Amino acid sequence: MYGGGAGDVQDRDTAVSQHQSLKKANSSSSSSSTSSASMLWARNLRRYIGSGAGLGSEALMELETKRILLDIFKEKQQKSAEASSIPSFYKKKPEEGSISHRVQRLAKYRFLKKQSDLLLNADDLDAMWLCLRENCVIDDSTGAEKMNYEDFCHIASVCTEQIGPKCRRFFSPSNFMKFEKDESGRIAILPFYLYVMRTVSLTQARIDMSELDEDSDGFLQAHEMEAYIRGLIPNLAQLRDMPAAFVQMYCRIAARKFFFFCDPHRRGKACIKKVLLSNCLQELMELHQETEEEATDTEQAENWFSLTSAQRICDMFLALDKDTNGTLSKQELKDYAEGSLTEIFIERVFDEHIRRGKSGGGNSREMDFESFLDFVLALENKDTPEGLTYLFRCLDLQGRGFLTTADIHSLFRDVHHKWLDGGNYELCIDDVRDEIWDMVKPADPLKITLADLLSCKQGGTVASMLIDVRGFWAHDNRENLLQEEEEPEEE
């Protein structure tokens, strides 16, 4: 009896245990199926969002931007892994119409717009000048209008109230210290105002040039520089009445001077910073100041950018181009300056600075208009490093980087012939050679380098003596010419 009861209890316990295990299994299976269902729902949602379906245009654009940035990041990582320790020095420019190109243009536009808004306009400059004059003091000894540092700070506060905070940067202590001060520590207001005007003018010029810089590399190509000059013409007093038919030719002539001085390696592009700091831009801006009727003939001829000078150069080229083919042969160029240049110099110009034609052969090499402009610029600016560098390549007959006594003798021989043909007195070539050596005083007594010509400050005169019979005549008669120049001044 007791044994049967124990067995029943054991069977009951076993059944209960099995029931509980079955219940747990059912519960686990139920939770597992629920969890699996929820995971499937989440995966489907992620897949739906990842495909971009159902998203708005802004969300789609954000998603596309993330994908592009991720691709760029992976590409950079791959390139870095391939390049190992060698850094990359070339970055491919974005393709036209791509998102990167559009973003770059938009960022550039916004940046230049912001910088332009910070500039003082003409009304602001007038207000600043009026404020300077109203708050300055008059120097009793000179009558000049001056201000000390206290006046300087007071004027800064007044200008800020009238014009706005954009003028505040000109009234810094460092700017005050840039100007010459008298014994009382005062500076003249006129130099300060001219400094503000020049800073505004240069900044505006840089903004205008940067807008034309299509690839945003800090350089201007020929057509971009011509576009900048074309935009300036209506604002330059001496160029406003320029005939419309001559505008394109004028822009080519004017732009060439910038490239001659700011692109010494002839890469076809000029650095914007060099253009802004060059004398060329200042010379061009001089056409703001006065009308051409008020300027003298000498001033018009000396300014390369004047309308008179541009027409003179254009007429000169057309007169030399006898066969009207748009280029100049050696024979045609010999008539330049009424034939005063030597034949050996003309030959060397074509050897060093004129490229051969595509068809080959000696007769195919002729000077185009751009090369002619470089030629004229070099001859009219012989004392500048750029002009003298151009001429020295022609004087260096052997291409060794220096001139010997034999080179001087060979170069001056043609000048000597033209000198005698003009009915002048007999010359001793050795005496001229010794005089050139005394003028240059080269570091090496056996040869003259370009550095020697630049350092002696008479390189342009030496070059004229060796390539132009008129240049030698001017040097030979320099004392008489100097006396003639002084006499009108005394009268």
Side-chain angles (χ1 to χ4, degrees):
M1 180 176 175
Y2 288 101
D8 293 340
V9 171
Q10 185 176 6
D11 293 340
R12 187 171 60 252
D13 292 341
T14 301
V16 170
S17 176
Q18 290 177 352
H19 176 71
Q20 291 177 346
S21 297
L22 181 61
K23 186 176 180 180
K24 288 180 180 179
N26 291 336
S27 175
S28 176
S29 175
S30 175
S31 64
S32 176
S33 62
T34 303
S35 175
S36 176
S38 63
M39 292 297 291
L40 179 62
W41 175 83
R43 284 197 299 270
N44 291 337
L45 179 60
R46 290 194 190 98
R47 191 179 299 112
Y48 178 76
I49 294 175
S51 64
L55 295 179
S57 59
E58 293 184 2
L60 282 174
M61 186 179 297
E62 184 70 21
L63 184 63
E64 181 67 18
T65 303
K66 288 182 179 179
R67 288 176 180 173
I68 292 173
L69 292 176
L70 182 61
D71 291 341
I72 293 174
F73 177 72
K74 289 180 179 179
E75 183 181 356
K76 285 186 176 180
Q77 279 190 326
Q78 182 179 358
K79 287 183 178 180
S80 299
E82 294 175 355
S84 185
S85 60
I86 301 177
S88 60
F89 57 89
Y90 171 75
K91 294 182 179 179
K92 186 179 180 181
K93 296 179 181 179
E95 297 180 0
E96 185 75 25
S98 63
I99 293 181
S100 299
H101 183 259
R102 293 178 181 178
V103 170
Q104 185 184 64
R105 291 186 62 182
L106 179 61
K108 174 183 171 182
Y109 168 77
R110 289 186 175 181
F111 173 76
L112 295 178
K113 180 69 168 57
K114 180 180 178 181
Q115 296 301 316
S116 182
D117 292 340
L118 294 175
L119 284 180
L120 302 178
N121 56 35
D123 294 336
D124 296 334
L125 291 172
D126 291 340
M128 179 182 288
W129 176 243
L130 183 62
C131 185
L132 286 169
R133 297 203 65 184
E134 290 178 348
N135 295 275
C136 67
V137 295
I138 306 297
D139 191 334
D140 296 333
S141 58
T142 62
E145 298 172 315
K146 296 185 176 182
M147 58 182 172
N148 57 25
Y149 187 69
E150 292 181 0
D151 299 330
F152 184 75
C153 295
H154 174 68
I155 293 172
S157 301
V158 176
C159 287
T160 302
E161 293 176 1
Q162 296 181 1
I163 301 174
K166 58 184 178 181
C167 69
R168 190 74 191 179
R169 65 189 182 99
F170 294 107
F171 292 92
S172 63
S174 59
N175 278 348
F176 184 84
M177 296 301 295
K178 291 177 182 177
F179 298 92
E180 183 180 359
K181 291 172 282 295
D182 60 11
E183 61 278 1
S184 302
R186 300 175 301 184
I187 66 172
I189 66 170
L190 181 58
F192 172 76
Y193 180 70
L194 294 177
Y195 160 77
V196 174
M197 287 187 63
R198 179 162 176 77
T199 302
V200 171
S201 176
L202 287 176
T203 306
Q204 184 62 60
R206 181 166 189 175
I207 292 173
D208 295 340
M209 292 181 188
S210 298
E211 288 178 350
L212 295 169
D213 182 13
E214 296 176 357
D215 49 6
S216 302
D217 61 348
F219 291 81
L220 290 182
Q221 300 180 27
H223 69 280
E224 295 168 343
M225 178 59 73
E226 291 175 13
Y228 171 73
I229 295 172
R230 190 179 296 109
L232 285 179
I233 290 176
N235 301 320
L236 298 176
Q238 296 186 25
L239 303 179
R240 287 173 186 162
D241 300 328
M242 182 188 301
F246 190 68
V247 169
Q248 183 176 359
M249 180 61 68
Y250 173 83
C251 292
R252 289 178 64 188
I253 295 172
R256 198 61 194 176
K257 183 164 187 176
F258 284 99
F259 282 89
F260 183 81
F261 285 97
C262 302
D263 181 27
H265 301 294
R266 301 296 181 264
R267 296 183 297 173
K269 56 183 182 178
C271 178
I272 292 178
K273 289 183 179 180
K274 284 188 176 181
V275 171
L276 293 172
L277 297 175
S278 68
N279 294 328
C280 301
L281 186 62
Q282 185 176 356
E283 185 181 356
L284 176 61
M285 293 305 175
E286 287 177 1
L287 304 182
H288 270 299
Q289 300 174 0
E290 55 191 3
T291 61
E292 197 157 349
E293 289 76 13
E294 297 172 350
T296 63
D297 294 338
T298 304
E299 291 174 342
Q300 294 176 25
E302 290 179 352
N303 192 327
W304 175 270
F305 299 101
S306 68
L307 183 58
T308 302
S309 175
Q311 290 173 337
R312 172 184 63 86
I313 294 166
C314 189
D315 293 340
M316 188 190 310
F317 183 84
L318 294 175
L320 293 174
D321 186 16
K322 299 294 192 304
D323 55 4
T324 64
N325 66 342
T327 58
L328 301 180
S329 63
K330 295 178 184 178
Q331 190 62 38
E332 290 173 333
L333 190 61
K334 289 178 182 178
D335 293 334
Y336 180 86
E338 298 181 359
S340 63
L341 299 178
T342 62
E343 292 187 10
I344 188 172
F345 173 65
I346 299 296
E347 290 284 344
R348 291 294 298 155
V349 167
F350 275 77
D351 290 341
E352 294 295 330
H353 300 289
I354 309 301
R355 295 180 179 179
R356 293 189 179 275
K358 296 180 179 179
S359 59
N363 295 330
S364 62
R365 185 167 56 176
E366 293 199 348
M367 177 182 285
D368 59 15
F369 188 62
E370 278 70 23
S371 299
F372 176 73
L373 293 176
D374 289 342
F375 176 77
V376 176
L377 283 164
L379 292 177
E380 294 185 356
N381 298 273
K382 292 187 289 291
D383 293 319
T384 64
E386 294 79 9
L388 199 53
T389 300
Y390 181 101
L391 297 176
F392 185 81
R393 288 179 57 185
C394 303
L395 299 177
D396 186 9
L397 302 179
Q398 306 299 327
R400 296 171 296 186
F402 59 85
L403 307 179
T404 62
T405 55
D407 296 325
I408 300 296
H409 191 280
S410 299
L411 290 166
F412 191 73
R413 188 169 50 218
D414 281 2
V415 176
H416 185 219
H417 292 329
K418 288 182 176 291
W419 176 265
L420 295 179
D421 292 342
N424 297 291
Y425 62 89
E426 180 60 49
L427 288 172
C428 178
I429 297 181
D430 292 338
D431 292 343
V432 176
R433 179 199 61 198
D434 294 340
E435 183 177 0
I436 290 176
W437 237 257
D438 292 337
M439 292 169 63
V440 177
K441 294 181 177 58
D444 187 336
L446 298 179
K447 57 187 179 182
I448 295 175
T449 63
L450 176 60
D452 293 328
L453 290 176
L454 292 171
S455 61
C456 75
K457 307 301 181 184
Q458 299 188 75
T461 302
V462 173
S464 295
M465 295 169 61
L466 296 175
I467 66 175
D468 187 355
V469 67
R470 287 183 176 179
F472 179 76
W473 182 90
H475 173 73
D476 191 59
N477 294 272
R478 58 191 179 280
E479 295 179 358
N480 296 332
L481 294 174
L482 182 61
Q483 185 176 0
E484 291 176 1
E485 291 177 358
E486 292 176 349
E487 286 177 356
E489 294 178 0
E490 294 175 358
E491 293 176 359

